[in-house]
Amino acid sequence: MFYRLSGTYHTSYESDRRLWKVPADRWLVAVILVLAVLAPFLVSPLYLGSYVLPWVIWSAAALSLTLLMGMAGQLHFGFAAVMAIGAYASIHLVRAGVPFELALLLSGLIAAVIGAVFGGAALRVKGLYLVMATLAMQYLVDWVVVNVPAISGGAHATLRTPAVTFLFLPLDSLASRYWLALGWAAVLTVFFMNVKRSSFGRALVAIRDKDFAAAVIGVDPFRTKLVAFFTSSFMGGVSGAILAFCFYRAVTPEQFGFNVSIQLVAMVLVGGLGSVIGAYLGAGFVLLAPIFLTNIISGLAASGWVPVSQNFLSHLPLMIYGAMIIGFLLLEPLGLAKIYDNIRKYFLVWPFRHARS
Amino acid sequence: MTFLRKLALTTALVAGLSAPVAAEDIKFGLLQDFTAVYTFVTGQYNQGQQDYLALANAEGTLGEGNTVTAIVRDTGNQPQRGIEAYNRAKEEGAVLFDFLSTPVSAAILDQAQADKNVVITPAHGRGDASDGTVFPYVFPMMATYWAQAANLIEHMKNTGGLQGKKIAIVHIDSPFGREPGPILEALSKQEGFEFQAFPYASPGNEQSAAWSEVRRYRPDYVLIWGAGGGQAVSVKTAIQNGIAPEQIHSVIWLAETDAANVGPQMKGVKRFEATAAGADHPIIQRIQEKVIDTGKGSGEAANVGTSYYNLGVATMAVAVEAARLGLEGGQPLTGETLKAGFEKIAGYDAEGLMPPVTITAEDHQGGGAGRVSEWDGEKWVPVSDWHAAYPDLIRQVIEKSAADYKAGH
């Protein structure tokens, strides 16, 4: 098959150090990257602006949360609040005259500091108690955003993003905004793949698996978890700023509510904990599946195939969506990334049965 | 050759002269939330909208064979899905959009303005969108929340006076719940009453803590500002805390379903209404006759004439009237000509279903009139006339807020 790897093992450090060890994977990544860069020329503005762009941004957000949830095993049900901090901070910084490139970094830093403060307080507890603590962060940030006009402009206000440039290129066209978002997602992807094989990444995984055992072998659980909160919040804050400037082009308090946090957790879980490709697949599934299903069912209804009331017609895609989630989880509890992995492994040694992981 | 050319020319000329003006299928995007937060209203509201469009098509309201088709999609109250639905409907040629969702409307606002597509926000959405000079393509076209609050306060003034009185506003703790704040602030200074806000947590299934506070405050009037299941809980809990039903005044979101959920003790509760309820209106009767009875209705026949159904009918009646006026400038109907059509609407009342609205380039709210009705145990009975309350004060608040938006907020 196209992987052509049966019986081939890595015999040099150079080949073992590669991000993608199998040539077919490298080709696949290169093709996807080229297609992604050329997307503005390949798909219509409808698909670029409504599907590809939000998918890329939410994948970046899901990757940020994956570092914390998937790698460090720390549950976070207030990640939308982290993104909100980044979004509001970036708008205020740009309005204050800070260049957009710097504003992105600073907004990430502000989100990271606030996220780490909450994280530090929350890390005294574990599991469901940590969920409660992060939920408190969500509600606290929500409350502040709604009640402090200096931040949000008021409960019902919409803060519009000013016109900005990124590295001297104006971000006014859809394509330019998409490329910036794609660039950020690519940076996070490469960062994440490298973290996984760094000492920090291995410390995170050790903590996830058993934190007191990790402490025995010399990993400081509190410090490592705190750094994970900081890093993840930084990436989440910048993703929030990218979401505000590249997709919504405006920020309102309701864009970062509790339901968004739940969606992010769903993206990470459905995609597959701790997986890079899982973040992309999970974000794509949670974000786009309801839209595709709604359009398909509405199309069928318009052709007279589904003669039911409008109300039922609207619930039907969600019922199918829910059934799909349960189906996926029954089929492969480790998420969509594992389904991809199973398929890949099957073809890795095809026509034989078993592959080495 | 010459003969053939002549024949071709003559045929083309005859065909050109005899061809009728091409009928147009105008598309309205009704991209609403059927599955998440606003489900308490969307089903009946959208049913009223679709049934009215069916009536307008059956009666040829737009003339020359023109019809209106509704593009209906569920957005789940999510901005992403709303943006996708908007972009798709835009590609399909929609010129008017109704999202019935504050987050989605907020996410679309700038894009729709840039695309020159009309967005209607009847009885919901931003109050300051009434300023047509700042929001040229947004049409609240009915009383906004600010006008609703003013109308209720004026009713209190007319029935029991306001000087030295205490008003409790019990609201859901969300941006929507805080909406009447600026108006109450301004009116309390003008009319000499005091008010205090008592928020309760969303979604409002449990409000006993807030109402215990209200009881201690001993208000003369109570304003409840919520939506969905929380409204029935508000009324029930208020009565349990010794507040008389006659003291309770609600925002527009209190309908027959809520009355049924509260039960007999609901009698005497008042609410704001932007359109009349009941089936005893010419348009609703014609819908019954030409749409429902002929099997073309879009939902359960039992909903016809309910408050939210009639609200949906009124929104489309105004929109179709705007389209009719817009088409006077020639076909096809674009967002720009539809906007011009809206701004030509003068004294339109949907055959008595709603107060007369006059929309101008400056005032997209159409005057902001409404009335107060009371639940008599079986139905909503009007207890005031259609009118706009404190229009000058409302306009000041609108212009100030619109100026803030223009400045980037």
Side-chain angles (χ1 to χ4, degrees), chain A:
Chain A
M1 205 49 187
F2 56 86
Y3 284 105
R4 303 173 67 85
L5 200 72
S6 308
T8 306
Y9 302 107
H10 309 294
T11 51
S12 68
Y13 286 119
E14 191 191 359
S15 75
D16 200 38
R17 269 209 311 269
R18 286 176 185 272
L19 270 182
W20 293 281
K21 298 177 175 56
V22 181
D25 284 335
R26 288 198 289 276
W27 279 107
L28 195 62
V29 169
V31 168
I32 290 173
L33 195 63
V34 168
L35 287 176
V37 171
L38 295 179
F41 308 107
L42 300 175
V43 297
S44 71
L46 166 66
Y47 283 92
L48 185 69
S50 302
Y51 295 80
V52 189
L53 174 62
W55 182 15
V56 167
I57 297 174
W58 285 106
S59 297
L63 269 178
S64 314
L65 183 58
T66 292
L67 182 80
L68 196 60
M69 275 186 60
M71 288 197 70
Q74 305 302 306
L75 297 166
H76 200 317
F77 276 59
F79 208 69
V82 173
M83 293 177 69
I85 295 168
Y88 277 109
S90 60
I91 287 191
H92 286 296
L93 286 167
V94 170
R95 284 186 176 184
V98 177
F100 181 55
E101 300 83 355
L102 196 59
L104 278 181
L105 293 175
L106 286 174
S107 60
L109 205 60
I110 293 168
V113 169
I114 298 175
V117 167
F118 276 99
L123 281 177
R124 296 177 66 86
V125 290
K126 289 183 193 172
L128 284 175
Y129 299 93
L130 182 60
V131 169
M132 299 287 281
T134 52
L135 268 178
M137 175 188 182
Q138 173 74 47
Y139 284 115
L140 205 58
V141 171
D142 273 356
W143 189 90
V144 169
V145 164
V146 169
N147 288 282
V148 182
I151 294 175
S152 62
H156 237 130
T158 303
L159 282 190
R160 289 188 289 168
T161 54
V164 288
T165 58
F166 187 80
L167 301 178
F168 306 107
L169 296 169
L171 279 186
D172 48 2
S173 73
L174 178 61
S176 58
R177 288 184 275 129
Y178 164 73
W179 279 320
L180 175 61
L182 181 67
W184 172 242
V187 167
L188 282 194
T189 305
V190 173
F191 170 78
F192 203 93
M193 297 199 75
N194 280 300
V195 161
K196 283 183 101 168
R197 52 190 194 164
S198 69
S199 60
F200 173 57
R202 292 181 203 284
L204 289 179
V205 172
I207 284 167
R208 178 188 68 192
D209 292 346
K210 202 66 88 180
D211 56 358
F212 55 83
V216 169
I217 57 167
V219 175
D220 180 350
F222 184 78
R223 187 177 152 273
T224 314
K225 284 180 191 175
L226 201 59
V227 174
F229 260 93
F230 186 90
T231 317
S232 176
S233 301
F234 176 85
M235 299 193 298
V238 178
S239 299
I242 297 272
L243 183 72
F245 275 85
C246 295
F247 185 56
Y248 288 133
R249 307 183 83 182
V251 187
T252 61
E254 286 150 322
Q255 279 168 359
F256 298 98
F258 172 59
N259 57 328
V260 180
S261 284
I262 296 297
Q263 261 191 333
L264 278 161
V265 172
M267 286 174 187
V268 173
L269 288 180
V270 172
L273 277 169
S275 158
V276 173
I277 196 164
Y280 282 89
L281 295 177
F285 183 80
V286 171
L287 191 70
L288 305 180
I291 296 176
F292 277 122
L293 287 169
T294 301
N295 288 334
I296 291 168
I297 301 282
S298 298
L300 288 175
S303 328
W305 283 83
V306 194
V308 292
S309 72
Q310 183 63 48
N311 206 12
F312 185 69
L313 200 63
S314 302
H315 282 84
L316 199 54
L318 289 186
M319 289 157 71
I320 299 172
Y321 176 59
M324 280 170 76
I325 291 181
I326 294 170
F328 279 135
L329 293 180
L330 284 176
L331 188 70
E332 182 50 74
L334 294 176
L336 297 174
K338 188 63 186 162
I339 293 178
Y340 167 77
D341 193 47
N342 292 343
I343 296 169
R344 180 177 171 276
K345 277 183 180 157
Y346 177 79
F347 286 114
L348 208 56
V349 292
W350 188 87
F352 304 106
R353 291 284 303 274
H354 300 289
R356 290 164 65 101
S357 293

Side-chain angles (χ1 to χ4, degrees), chain B residues 214-356:
Chain B
V214 174
R215 188 181 58 209
R216 280 192 276 276
Y217 182 60
R218 301 174 71 82
D220 296 289
Y221 306 105
V222 172
L223 207 52
I224 58 169
W225 212 271
Q231 287 287 78
V233 176
S234 283
V235 176
K236 277 185 190 170
T237 323
I239 293 167
Q240 280 164 13
N241 279 277
I243 312 264
E246 291 74 22
Q247 290 174 276
I248 302 171
H249 299 66
S250 168
V251 65
I252 193 167
W253 309 123
L254 193 70
E256 292 78 2
T257 326
D258 304 301
N261 288 340
V262 173
Q265 50 188 355
M266 175 85 177
K267 191 176 175 187
V269 172
K270 298 175 189 67
R271 66 149 191 200
F272 173 86
E273 64 183 19
T275 53
D280 190 22
H281 305 282
I283 288 183
I284 305 297
Q285 285 172 347
R286 292 212 304 285
I287 287 179
Q288 182 69 47
E289 181 191 326
K290 295 181 182 175
V291 180
I292 309 295
D293 294 346
T294 55
K296 293 178 193 158
S298 62
E300 286 179 37
N303 290 335
V304 176
T306 57
S307 299
Y308 297 152
Y309 182 93
N310 286 9
L311 185 64
V313 168
T315 62
M316 286 298 103
V318 177
V320 168
E321 175 68 2
R324 190 184 68 76
L325 293 168
L327 282 167
E328 284 177 356
Q331 289 179 315
L333 186 75
T334 63
E336 282 172 289
T337 52
L338 180 61
K339 170 190 182 300
F342 265 104
E343 290 171 354
K344 281 185 199 164
I345 289 176
Y348 181 74
D349 67 352
E351 300 174 47
L353 185 64
M354 59 191 288

Side-chain angles (χ1 to χ4, degrees), chain B residues 37-370:
Chain B
V37 181
Y38 300 109
T39 50
F40 69 95
V41 56
T42 314
Q44 293 175 8
Y45 175 83
N46 186 272
Q47 187 185 343
Q49 290 187 313
Q50 290 201 57
D51 285 354
Y52 180 78
L53 294 181
L55 177 74
N57 289 341
E59 292 184 339
T61 310
L62 288 169
E64 296 180 349
N66 296 323
T67 52
V68 186
T69 301
I71 300 172
V72 184
R73 289 286 184 284
D74 173 40
T75 64
N77 199 38
Q78 289 174 16
Q80 282 94 356
R81 291 181 65 181
I83 290 170
E84 189 274 344
Y86 168 80
N87 284 333
R88 185 168 289 275
K90 185 177 79 178
E91 284 216 339
E92 289 175 33
V95 288
L96 176 138
F97 296 86
D98 182 1
F99 299 104
L100 193 66
S101 154
T102 309
V104 175
S105 298
I108 297 292
L109 216 54
D110 274 5
Q111 187 58 48
Q113 306 258 58
D115 294 336
K116 298 189 173 173
N117 278 327
V118 169
V119 175
I120 60 170
T121 60
H124 72 281
R126 298 178 67 102
D128 54 8
S130 308
D131 189 340
T133 58
V134 176
F135 297 88
Y137 284 88
V138 186
F139 289 86
M141 71 187 206
M142 287 180 185
T144 62
Y145 289 129
W146 293 343
Q148 292 176 33
N151 209 299
L152 289 165
I153 295 291
E154 195 185 61
H155 181 73
M156 294 170 194
K157 182 183 177 184
N158 294 340
T159 48
L162 283 173
Q163 193 67 38
K165 294 283 171 63
K166 291 203 283 189
I167 300 176
I169 162 132
V170 186
H171 65 87
I172 190 164
D173 198 7
S174 73
F176 152 69
R178 289 157 193 275
E179 193 77 0
I183 294 300
L184 293 178
E185 192 79 49
L187 282 175
S188 69
K189 285 178 194 145
Q190 186 174 317
E191 300 291 351
F193 64 87
E194 69 167 85
F195 77 98
Q196 193 168 325
F198 299 89
Y200 58 81
S202 179
N205 296 335
E206 171 50 50
Q207 304 175 18
S208 47
W211 286 100
S212 300
E213 294 284 319
V214 174
R215 188 181 58 209
R216 280 192 276 276
Y217 182 60
R218 301 174 71 82
D220 296 289
Y221 306 105
V222 172
L223 207 52
I224 58 169
W225 212 271
Q231 287 287 78
V233 176
S234 283
V235 176
K236 277 185 190 170
T237 323
I239 293 167
Q240 280 164 13
N241 279 277
I243 312 264
E246 291 74 22
Q247 290 174 276
I248 302 171
H249 299 66
S250 168
V251 65
I252 193 167
W253 309 123
L254 193 70
E256 292 78 2
T257 326
D258 304 301
N261 288 340
V262 173
Q265 50 188 355
M266 175 85 177
K267 191 176 175 187
V269 172
K270 298 175 189 67
R271 66 149 191 200
F272 173 86
E273 64 183 19
T275 53
D280 190 22
H281 305 282
I283 288 183
I284 305 297
Q285 285 172 347
R286 292 212 304 285
I287 287 179
Q288 182 69 47
E289 181 191 326
K290 295 181 182 175
V291 180
I292 309 295
D293 294 346
T294 55
K296 293 178 193 158
S298 62
E300 286 179 37
N303 290 335
V304 176
T306 57
S307 299
Y308 297 152
Y309 182 93
N310 286 9
L311 185 64
V313 168
T315 62
M316 286 298 103
V318 177
V320 168
E321 175 68 2
R324 190 184 68 76
L325 293 168
L327 282 167
E328 284 177 356
Q331 289 179 315
L333 186 75
T334 63
E336 282 172 289
T337 52
L338 180 61
K339 170 190 182 300
F342 265 104
E343 290 171 354
K344 281 185 199 164
I345 289 176
Y348 181 74
D349 67 352
E351 300 174 47
L353 185 64
M354 59 191 288
V357 289
T358 299
I359 299 175
T360 63
E362 289 77 31
D363 177 20
H364 282 189
Q365 186 184 209

